[in-house]
Amino acid sequence: SSLFGHVEPAPKDPILGVTEAFLADPSPDKVNVGVGAYRDDNGQPVVLDCVREAERRIAGNLNMEYLPMGGSIKMIEESLKLAYGEDSEFIKDKRIAAVQALSGTGACRLFADFQKRFLPDSQIYIPTPTWSNHHNIWRDAQVPQKTFTYYHPESRGLDFSGLMNDIKNAPDGSFFLLHACAHNPTGVDPTEEQWREISHQFKVKKHFPFFDMAYQGFASGDPERDAKAIRIFLEDGHQIGCAQSYAKNMGLYGQRAGCLSILCEDEMQAVAVKSQLQQIARPMYSNPPVHGALVVSIILNDPELKSLWLKEVKGMADRIIGMRKALKENLEKLGSPLSWEHITNQIGMFCYSGMTPEQVDRLTDEYHIYMTRNGRISMAGVTTGNVSYLANAIHEVTK
Ligand SMILES: Cc1[nH+]cc(COP(=O)(O)O)c(/C=N/[C@@H](CC(=O)O)C(=O)O)c1O
């Protein structure tokens, strides 16, 4: 028998498979509101001006040397300031073990592998629902998963009491995966007050919070505001883990620029933990890519470029917020019998519409509209040019 005859075709990825189907569709009316990637009002991908300027500054004088296993020190420094705060005591005390990672996915995976290696009996509580790849990451790291209540379908909001119950009922010292802001796919975030209650309960239970922060700045338009959950936990004295990504908020999708950080008890522990994170990276990819890290470092380290970035990331967030309003208004104008309040109550890249897989299939089959079957709409794919077409189709399949 042939060597690889038993290898079955892999199932389509629930998110990236939608992009493939969209690209294969010849219809001129097709609309892609599947993958969470920003598009401008013409439906085109965007390279931010701050990124183009950073590229101009490094053009030609790039060296192609290896980065250290832990990645670019400068990029890590800038990333920690963004997540933990410019004046963070934890940065000053060198208590944070941090390595450059292959974007947010790579940061989550490094953490999951670290968790498996050094806390082999631990498991991880993952919100219901969550970004589909979270399950794959901790599965492949062989860390057992549990789920915790998060989304409340009836109100299309947060099931806070269900969430708090699950936090209370989990064994002491459990690991929890938390979306720092712009929860994917629901667009539902705890309020500041709710984050404070969650943080308090985590102290009582000695739980460990691992924040996946893939959208800092992209949710509210203000990176400081979008880091509020992390800052609350830090003020309460928690040790945390954090996965950062520059895919969405800096548009560096394909550059795979991210950072994994773990707040340790002291500098010596941070040095040990960082050295072990590097030990995991070395046989996996040896060291991370140099280009994206350089772009990030130049932008965040230069006050002029950083303020340009802040303006541009707010611009992206504002456009999405504008499309939320437009989509809701179009549905209301069509006389939809349903409430669409959640479209503007939710935040970040996604609207969790509440549509069923069958309704999503009809949108694709009858209207060439592509979204994940859980009814998640990537709002960045909505433009002034397609919002009424999209609203009409949604109305037709939901009325
Ligand atoms: C919560 C979350 N975490 C991490 C990532 C990974 O991003 P990276 O490019 O590795 O930095 C994504 C990407 N989400 C979108 C794209 C994807 O599925 O990869 C999405 O949900 O469409 C997330 O939504």
Side-chain angles (χ1 to χ4, degrees), residues 248-322:
K248 288 85 175 186
N249 59 9
M250 216 173 262
L252 297 179
Y253 300 92
Q255 293 294 350
R256 315 309 296 139
C259 182
L260 168 64
S261 56
I262 298 174
L263 176 56
C264 299
E265 276 162 15
D266 54 37
E267 181 177 355
M268 192 162 72
Q269 191 179 94
V271 167
V273 167
K274 174 161 180 166
S275 70
Q276 293 296 349
L277 291 172
Q278 292 178 162
Q279 290 293 311
I280 296 170
R282 174 63 166 150
M284 195 188 288
Y285 52 83
S286 184
N287 43 76
V290 64
H291 190 72
L294 198 47
V295 171
V296 171
S297 311
I298 288 173
I299 289 170
L300 295 180
N301 187 254
D302 176 309
E304 174 208 333
L305 281 188
K306 183 170 180 181
S307 65
L308 174 56
W309 172 61
L310 291 172
K311 192 166 69 63
E312 292 190 282
V313 73
K314 184 173 183 331
M316 291 192 284
D318 287 350
R319 192 185 86 71
I320 285 189
I321 290 163

Side-chain angles (χ1 to χ4, degrees), residues 15-16 34-37 102-106 108 131 134 179 184 212 214-215 245-248 253 256-257 350 376:
I15 295 170
L16 302 179
V35 72
L102 301 184
S103 217
T105 303
C108 288
W131 175 49
H134 279 147
H179 297 229
N184 175 4
D212 182 354
Y215 298 95
S245 163
Y246 293 100
K248 288 85 175 186
Y253 300 92
R256 315 309 296 139
F350 306 107
R376 179 192 89 168

Side-chain angles (χ1 to χ4, degrees), residues 24 36 51 57 66 79 85-86 93 97 108 142 148 158 181 210 221 229 261 271 294 298 340 354 381 386:
V51 171
R57 296 186 189 183
Y66 284 134
S79 298
E86 288 283 333
D93 297 347
C108 288
Q142 298 178 336
F148 67 92
L158 185 69
C181 62
F210 181 75
S261 56
V271 167
L294 198 47
I298 288 173
W340 296 101
N386 67 25

